[in-house]
Amino acid sequence: AVLSTAFHQGLSSQGVLSCAKHFPGHGDTLVDSHLELPTLTHDLKRLEEVEFLPFKEAISSGVDSVMSAHVFLPKIDPNFPATLSSKILKILREKIGFDGLLVTDALVMNAISNNYGPNEAAVMAFQAGADLLMMPQNPEETIQAICEALRSGRIPMKRLEESLFRH
C-alpha cells in the first residue's frame, strides 16, 4: 500500500495518470491469467483484511483508475470472474468508494477469451461496471455488440452515462 501510493504520487506529480491493479487482488493466484482463469477461495473478510488494503490506500491517494483482475472468486460470485462480475465490481464502487475509471485487464487473455466469446465478454464487462475495455479481440465488433446491448435494453443507457461522465 505504501509503495503503490508513492508510485501514484510520483506519476501524478509528472502529469501521468495512474492505475491500481488488479482488483480485487491477484498476488495469491497459482496460475497466470494470460493462460487460464485463476481461482481464489478467499472470503470477503480475508479480502478486506489483505487484498483490498493497497486499493484503499491508492484510492485515498487519488489514483486515477483501477484495473480489474481476471480471477474467479467463488465465495463472492460463484458465476463470473471479477472482470465480468457486477457483485465484485460493486464492492469496489460501493464498499470501497472508488468513483474513477474502472479498466478491464486485456480481454484477449485466455482467462476470459477461452471461457466467453470475445464480444460477449466485452458486453458482460461493461454491463458489470467496467468503463474502459482493454484489448477486445475485434474493436469494431465489440462496439457493435455493446451498441446492440444498449439498443435492446440488456444494458441500460444509465450504465453508459455513468461511464461517460467518469473522470
Side-chain angles (χ1 to χ4, degrees), residues 1 12 14-15 30 32 47 51 54 61 64 82 86 91-92 94 127 141 145 148 154-155:
S12 184
Q14 300 303 306
L30 298 176
D32 182 349
L47 292 169
E51 280 78 10
S61 76
D64 300 294
S86 61
I91 291 171
L92 178 64
E94 296 173 5
Q127 185 176 30
E141 288 180 14
E148 179 54 36
R154 177 179 174 190
I155 299 176

Side-chain angles (χ1 to χ4, degrees), residues 32-36 70 83-84 104-119 121-122 125 133-139 142:
D32 182 349
S33 56
H34 290 89
L35 305 175
E36 59 185 282
H70 298 332
T83 295
L84 309 180
T104 69
D105 203 345
L107 294 173
V108 295
M109 293 167 60
N110 288 352
I112 298 299
S113 65
N114 283 355
N115 296 295
Y116 303 90
N119 294 335
L133 307 173
M134 188 189 307
M135 295 177 61
Q137 215 162 23
N138 184 323
T142 297

